[in-house]
């Protein structure tokens, strides 16, 4: 009986590419899970945990902010360079804490995150003036995870060749920036209109609602216009 042998490298290359893509996707999911834990679950859980234990509002909020420090430090060490956004986040924790000490009001500390989302929103909108708007650069990791380095080169080449492609990415970038600014404004309104103890949960629900709506629209828009990978 004749036996059929596969030529070396015939089937292994696609398998290796699939494995590499799977590893990238898994790494991306782990990073998102870590961000969710350190930037959402721990700060929120620590606030309500300390409040239940009888701690004051100011101490509970400061503790939630301090839990961000190891995560920010890890990001700096892991990438072996100073990340501008990490340093900015760290400065917000310090400045917000100092302001609350001077004013004696936890509500000043509550609007700390508004400075961050407002700054991010303005930065995202500012990238519209550059050759690579926010969504263009932010999507690189996802594109690589799905289609690899060669696919990324082809995807980025569309920016120079297709005016419609540039229009869609600029529009999506503008919407992202607008949502971040909206979040900043709504957080300030909440900080001075609702009870202090209700703010951490309410602001978190607000952000999740805005983010969920933004991601839903983002995926719908890209799919509708044939840009979904």
């Amino acid at each position: 009986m004749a036996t059929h042998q596969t030529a070396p490298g015939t089937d292994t290359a696609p398998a290796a590419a699939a494995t590499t893509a799977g590893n990238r996707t898994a790494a991306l999911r782990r990073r998102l899970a870590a961000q969710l834990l350190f930037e959402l679950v721990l700060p929120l859980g620590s606030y309500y945990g300390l409040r239940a234990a009888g701690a004051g509002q100011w101490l509970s909020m400061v503790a939630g902010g301090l839990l961000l420090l190891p995560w920010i430090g890890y990001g700096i060490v892991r990438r072996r360079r100073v990340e501008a956004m990490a340093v900015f986040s760290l400065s917000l924790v310090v400045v917000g804490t100092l302001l609350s000490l001077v004013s004696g009001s936890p509500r000043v500390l509550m609007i700390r995150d508004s400075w961050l989302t407002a700054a991010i929103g303005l930065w995202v909108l500012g990238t519209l003036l550059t050759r690579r708007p926010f969504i263009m650069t932010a999507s690189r990791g996802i594109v690589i995870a799905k289609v690899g380095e060669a696919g990324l080169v082809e995807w980025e080449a569309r920016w120079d060749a297709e005016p419609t492609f540039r229009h869609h990415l600029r529009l999506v970038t503008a919407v992202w920036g607008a949502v971040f600014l909206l979040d900043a404004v709504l957080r300030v309104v909440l900080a001075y209109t609702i009870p202090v103890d209700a703010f951490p949960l309410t602001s978190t629900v607000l952000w999740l609602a805005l983010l969920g709506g933004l991601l839903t629209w983002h995926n719908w828009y890209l799919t509708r216009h044939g840009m979904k990978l």
Side-chain angles (χ1 to χ4, degrees):
M1 178 182 296
T3 58
H4 297 279
Q5 295 183 348
T6 302
T10 301
D11 293 330
T12 56
T19 300
T20 301
N23 290 339
R24 293 195 191 101
T25 301
L28 181 61
R29 288 174 178 173
R30 287 195 296 270
R31 177 167 178 77
L32 290 176
Q35 287 182 312
L36 180 65
L37 174 63
F38 287 100
E39 297 177 13
L40 177 62
V41 176
L42 287 181
L44 184 62
S46 68
Y47 175 83
Y48 284 107
L50 288 172
R51 290 293 288 150
Q57 294 171 337
W58 183 88
L59 176 61
S60 299
M61 285 192 176
V62 170
L66 292 178
L67 287 176
L68 290 171
L69 300 184
W71 173 246
I72 294 173
Y74 170 79
I76 295 174
V77 174
R78 181 73 173 81
R79 294 168 179 79
R80 297 182 181 179
R81 65 176 183 269
V82 177
E83 294 284 353
M85 187 54 65
V87 174
F88 182 67
S89 298
L90 178 59
S91 68
L92 288 179
V93 173
V94 175
V95 173
T97 302
L98 292 176
L99 286 176
S100 65
L101 282 172
V102 173
S103 66
S105 172
R107 294 187 184 274
V108 175
L109 191 61
M110 287 159 56
I111 64 173
R112 181 193 62 211
D113 290 339
S114 296
W115 308 341
L116 176 60
T117 54
I120 292 175
L122 292 174
W123 172 73
V124 169
L125 293 176
T127 64
L128 292 171
L129 303 177
T130 69
R131 292 193 69 252
R132 292 292 187 267
F134 166 73
I135 290 299
M136 184 70 180
T137 55
S139 300
R140 295 183 82 256
I142 298 175
V143 174
I144 292 175
K146 290 188 174 183
V147 296
E149 295 285 351
L152 174 65
V153 173
E154 181 179 349
W155 185 77
E156 290 186 328
R158 297 181 62 185
W159 176 265
D160 297 319
E162 302 178 24
T164 301
F165 183 79
R166 295 194 295 270
H167 166 75
H168 290 320
L169 289 185
R170 285 195 175 106
L171 177 60
V172 173
T173 296
V175 172
W176 272 80
V179 170
F180 273 101
L181 289 179
L182 176 62
D183 175 77
V185 172
L186 293 179
R187 282 176 185 267
V188 173
V189 173
L190 289 175
Y192 289 97
T193 56
I194 66 175
V196 172
D197 284 338
F199 179 81
L201 180 59
T202 304
S203 63
T204 299
V205 171
L206 168 68
W207 171 239
L208 291 177
L210 289 174
L211 182 61
L214 176 60
L215 292 176
T216 300
W217 176 85
H218 177 100
N219 289 326
W220 169 82
Y221 186 86
L222 294 185
T223 301
R224 180 183 180 184
H225 294 282
M227 299 179 64
K228 187 76 172 178
L229 294 174

